[in-house]
Amino acid sequence: MSADRDPGLFGPESVTWQMHGDPVMWVAGVRALYLQALHPRAVRGVMINSDFRKDAWGRLMRTADFVGTITYGTSAAAEHAGARVRRIHRMLGVDDPELLLWVHCAETDSYLSVARRSGFPLSEAQADRYVAEHRESARLVGLDPARVPATTAELAAYFSAVRPALAAGDDARTVDDFLRRPPIHPLLVPARELLWRRVAALAYNALPAYAHELYGRPAPPPDRVTRQLGATGRALRRIPARLRWQLPPGHILKAMARLGPGSRPAPYKLRSQAAILDGGPGRAQQTDGGDSTRWRTPG
């Protein structure tokens, strides 16, 4: 297949393709950072081996660029991005499969949980499919896909197993402080207070209850948070998609230029798939073990 028609690792028919184009992914990304910081060994590796304190914004944007590349880029671009991440992990000595799995599962759970609670239309089977699709992103960062959760039930079981190892130590507090009040230019302080702190607070509130207990900061009741996420999702989705997608690095627009307008990510495309997927094996089960399996699509 020529590069100009290459659908990439996931392609326009995937749940990942549709969901990652939704604007609540920014809230989900911040939630993932909060959750990842609760693994003492994982967050210690970040603090020791990266420039998080000096270039936290750059790190956030590089993460967003990586997710955009592996979702909407060509297969070659995704493989190149994965190879670069694996090389950096080896150089820094943070390629421990246990830690990579934690980071992967925290991201997958955060993206899925925030999307569903905000009203993004995902059936139970589509949620399972999303988790299974992300064994591919796990492979890119150096994990064996066979050892990565493939359903929401398996993801919930993973969190139940790892929970005793989690704690909010000094490094987690540093991440918390940064996310609540990141250093910025003085002229941008009003925008931080008006916009960013609301995003960070919503992301924190969207964490599972055990995370709130570890951080020691309360959060509103889960039902209220789900309503807040729904209101935020509706507000963000009123912003024209092409305007949102103009923001750098523009992966979605590049993918549409490569594959045609029919590749445009849109939630309604998943509704037509739901009846087929929900009738088959592997349907997600509701459990209390993890966060992403506890929330059905509102409505």
Side-chain angles (χ1 to χ4, degrees), residues 3-8 17 72-74 253-260:
D4 61 343
R5 298 298 297 173
D6 179 5
W17 188 281
Y72 299 109
T74 63
L253 292 180
K254 292 174 184 175
M256 290 171 61
R258 185 175 80 248
L259 300 174

Side-chain angles (χ1 to χ4, degrees), residues 36-52:
Q36 289 165 351
L38 290 175
H39 194 299
R41 288 180 57 217
V43 72
R44 179 88 295 245
V46 170
M47 293 298 177
I48 293 175
N49 296 297
S50 79
D51 54 358
F52 177 83

